[in-house]
């Protein structure tokens, strides 16, 4: 600071103080950024990151072709159009091969044996009691579908499917066991008896499945499966017989 003394006349004196800063006085320190500017900066960074992610997603979406299909669908009235011809439909269905659509499981007790025409069973008989757990699978063999079974008319497709059938019948060996076996005093166990009883068990399981409507369920499920697949191809009307 500069202190200046100014004398006026002889009557008295007057003193003034000049507080003007000189050149070599230290400059005031820089001001701290305000909280508002910090928040604006952070918000800008977050928005920039979000826009970058959206841009990358849009590029990937359009590069895969899905975005273009969707955009074309919107321009055509909000629905993506697919041009699937008759040979393509036939080929896609045939590739399903043996379409298994229903599984039927059951537990049964099957008996079988050999008797002697002249002696009672406790002397010359051989009987076996088998507790069986089995599965019957129904479906449609689509490998036999012919070109004449498929008719494509624009957005409508009509299909005549092969008849439903029993595709397989099997005995679950892990859950099947011999409950009892009685062999006569004068006879030896027949080594083929258990195999014969198992074959009979398969026949009875299949017959029970047929009586319970396995073929109808297999046909209904097959129609539902194939209808969903064809609608995924873009067909609006699917007629399956």
């Amino acid at each position: 600071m500069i202190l200046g003394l100014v004398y006026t006349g002889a009557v008295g004196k007057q003193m003034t103080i000049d507080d003007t800063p000189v050149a070599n006085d230290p400059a005031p320190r820089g001001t701290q950024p305000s909280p508002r500017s910090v928040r604006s900066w952070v918000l800008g960074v977050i928005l920039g990151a979000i826009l970058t992610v959206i841009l990358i997603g849009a590029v990937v979406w359009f590069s895969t072709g899905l975005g273009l299909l969707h955009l074309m669908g919107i321009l055509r009235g909000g629905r993506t159009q697919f041009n699937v011809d008759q040979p393509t439909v036939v080929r896609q269905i045939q590739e399903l091969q043996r379409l298994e659509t229903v599984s039927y499981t059951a537990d049964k007790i099957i008996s079988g044996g050999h008797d002697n025409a002249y002696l009672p069973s406790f002397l010359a008989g051989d009987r076996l009691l088998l507790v069986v757990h089995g599965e019957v699978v129904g479906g449609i063999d689509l490998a036999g579908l012919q070109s004449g079974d498929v008719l494509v008319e624009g957005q409508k497709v009509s299909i005549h499917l092969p008849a439903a059938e029993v595709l397989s019948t099997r005995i679950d060996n892990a859950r099947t066991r011999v409950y009892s076996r009685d062999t006569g005093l004068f006879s030896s166990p027949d080594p083929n008896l258990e195999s014969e009883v198992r074959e009979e068990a398969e026949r009875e399981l299949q017959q029970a499945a047929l009586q319970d409507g396995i073929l109808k369920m297999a046909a209904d499920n097959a129609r539902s499966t194939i209808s969903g697949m064809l609608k995924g191809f873009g067909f609006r009307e699917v007629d399956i017989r």
Side-chain angles (χ1 to χ4, degrees):
M1 303 292 290
I2 298 176
L3 300 179
L5 299 179
V6 181
Y7 295 90
T8 57
V11 177
K13 55 185 178 181
Q14 180 180 0
M15 183 179 66
T16 63
I17 300 176
D18 187 0
D19 58 356
T20 304
V22 296
N24 58 356
D25 283 345
R29 296 183 179 180
T31 59
Q32 296 294 328
S34 65
R36 179 177 298 177
S37 62
V38 173
R39 286 196 299 269
S40 300
W41 182 82
V42 173
L43 183 59
V45 172
I46 294 175
L47 290 176
I50 294 175
L51 291 176
T52 302
V53 171
I54 294 174
L55 180 61
I56 294 175
V59 171
V60 172
W61 191 47
F62 275 95
S63 64
T64 58
L66 297 176
L68 184 58
L69 284 174
H70 185 68
L71 181 60
M72 292 174 62
I74 294 176
L75 295 177
R76 293 179 180 180
R79 193 179 187 87
T80 303
Q81 301 293 326
F82 295 87
N83 293 321
V84 182
D85 55 10
Q86 189 260 5
T88 301
V89 174
V90 174
R91 184 175 64 255
Q92 291 293 331
I93 296 177
Q94 287 176 340
E95 288 179 355
L96 295 176
Q97 299 290 324
R98 290 163 60 90
L99 180 62
E100 299 180 354
T101 58
V102 62
S103 175
Y104 177 93
T105 59
D107 295 287
K108 295 184 73 68
I109 298 178
I110 309 297
S111 64
H114 298 153
D115 295 324
N116 190 287
Y118 304 102
L119 297 175
S121 59
F122 73 91
L123 292 178
D126 187 13
R127 302 199 64 81
L128 181 144
L129 197 62
L130 192 68
V131 179
V132 177
H133 179 84
E135 178 187 33
V136 181
V137 176
I140 296 180
D141 188 0
L142 296 172
L145 186 75
Q146 303 297 321
S147 297
D149 296 328
V150 178
L151 177 62
V152 176
E153 298 175 327
Q155 294 298 305
K156 177 183 178 180
V157 57
S158 300
I159 300 176
H160 183 269
L161 292 178
E165 60 183 288
V166 173
L167 298 179
S168 65
T169 303
R170 71 178 186 88
I171 301 296
D172 186 351
N173 293 323
R175 302 174 63 179
T176 298
R177 60 188 178 86
V178 176
Y179 181 77
S180 66
R181 184 161 188 172
D182 297 325
T183 304
L185 294 175
F186 303 115
S187 63
S188 58
D190 184 352
N192 298 320
L193 180 57
E194 184 174 346
S195 298
E196 294 173 359
V197 175
R198 285 177 176 269
E199 291 177 1
E200 178 62 25
E202 289 184 358
R203 285 192 292 270
E204 291 194 17
L205 282 172
Q206 181 171 323
Q207 186 63 32
L210 292 173
Q211 291 177 353
D212 287 343
I214 188 174
L215 296 184
K216 183 179 184 303
M217 288 186 289
D220 292 342
N221 293 342
R223 282 193 291 268
S224 177
T225 299
I226 297 175
S227 177
M229 181 186 73
L230 294 175
K231 287 182 179 179
F233 289 162
F235 290 104
R236 298 183 182 180
E237 186 176 351
V238 179
D239 181 22
I240 300 178
R241 300 182 299 276

